[in-house]
Amino acid sequence: MNNDILYCFHLEDDSESFDLAPELLAGLELDFSSFENREDGTFIHTVYSLTKELAEENLNRVKENLPLWLEFGAELEAGEIYELAKAEWAEAWKKFFKPLEISDTLIVRPSWETAETKPGQAVLTIDPGMSFGTGQHATTFYCLKVIDRLAGTPGIESMLDAGSGSGILAIAAGLRGYKKIDAFDFDPDAVRVSKENIAMNNLDNIVPEVGNAENYAGDPAGYDLVCANILGHLLKAYSKNIVTWVKPGKYLALAGILNAEFDGVSEVFTALGFEEIERFSLKEWTSGLFKKISRCSR
């Protein structure tokens, strides 16, 4: 295996919503990046693999799912596999990630950019690599807003980042003063990247783990805020475990949910002892904040 080469294929995206395909690709646990083709206004998603064999497997998986994704409104066309030097990839996508202000108290900037800040505004520095999470996507943006808004609220001191990706949500919690922070992701490479980002932000109270929402246990005492930025069908499938992470009377932010799926997800969690506090929709995605109103066994 040549460690300097990636094996890639493009997906041309003619969907009405740019945000749809990235969530679907994330559901297949693929490494990818997304760019705008400024010449014709379409978007390109590039899937990366470390070996040609894995690239062929991933391409076949994507092609098998194209008819199903079309039902959701994702109009995608897959190209052929090609080779790309890692050095080329590392520079090509950076021009699409710019500083993003979350609030007067939090701003996100890529590691290679500077950002003008306001007095008292925490600066979250991130280099996502191939991991999900820059704050640009609607679901990540909502979770950042919730973390920032609840920071400093009496009784809100601990946070769990479920499906941590680049580590952006856990880092935001650390910068905004949460005292106890845990994080996990199913992808070991994402956990590695998140550790690097945590160190870059000079935080020493977060140690992300490799884990899965199906059986992750976390702190037996539970958390004051759980952010689960996971696809809607997985939130429902693992709901009975997810609810055990939240302390009675505390909060659960659910994201990664298509608009048409949100009511069904909300019904599952309200049936398990939660109250829907709010919902936020942007393009194809709806996220929501829930409060645990009854004790669920851990």
Side-chain angles (χ1 to χ4, degrees), residues 20-195:
L20 182 56
E23 284 290 341
L24 297 172
L25 292 169
L28 290 182
E29 303 179 0
L30 298 175
D31 292 322
F32 67 94
S33 60
S34 302
F35 310 105
E36 181 181 4
N37 184 337
R38 298 185 184 276
E39 293 182 1
D40 59 15
T42 61
F43 290 92
I44 302 293
H45 310 285
T46 306
V47 178
Y48 306 94
S49 305
L50 294 178
T51 67
K52 187 175 182 180
E53 292 74 19
L54 182 57
E56 292 171 346
E57 177 185 335
N58 289 337
L59 179 58
N60 288 333
R61 291 170 65 207
V62 166
K63 287 182 175 179
E64 289 172 359
N65 279 275
L66 289 179
L68 174 62
W69 292 352
L70 184 60
E71 295 179 14
F72 287 109
E75 299 183 21
L76 304 171
E77 182 178 346
E80 300 298 320
I81 295 172
Y82 64 95
E83 295 182 2
L84 178 69
K86 285 185 178 180
E88 289 183 43
W89 168 85
E91 295 302 319
W93 68 277
K94 289 183 178 181
K95 60 184 176 181
F96 297 94
F97 179 19
K98 300 297 181 182
L100 175 67
E101 185 173 77
I102 305 302
S103 71
D104 288 341
T105 51
L106 181 64
I107 188 169
V108 177
R109 75 169 181 91
S111 60
W112 55 90
E113 292 269 358
T114 58
E116 293 185 10
T117 61
K118 299 173 181 177
Q121 192 173 47
V123 180
L124 194 165
T125 304
I126 199 85
D127 187 346
M130 291 186 183
S131 300
F132 182 81
T134 63
Q136 312 290 322
H137 193 277
T139 58
T140 310
F141 181 76
Y142 176 75
C143 289
L144 287 168
K145 284 281 193 182
V146 169
I147 292 167
D148 183 61
R149 175 163 34 110
L150 292 180
T153 302
I156 306 297
E157 297 185 343
S158 60
M159 181 265 186
L160 172 64
D161 181 0
S164 54
S166 67
I168 187 171
L169 301 183
I171 294 167
L175 295 176
R176 293 292 287 120
Y178 290 71
K179 293 183 173 60
K180 164 71 175 176
I181 305 164
D182 288 336
F184 74 87
D185 197 283
F186 68 87
D187 183 356
D189 286 333
V191 171
R192 175 185 55 78
V193 169
S194 65
K195 288 180 178 179

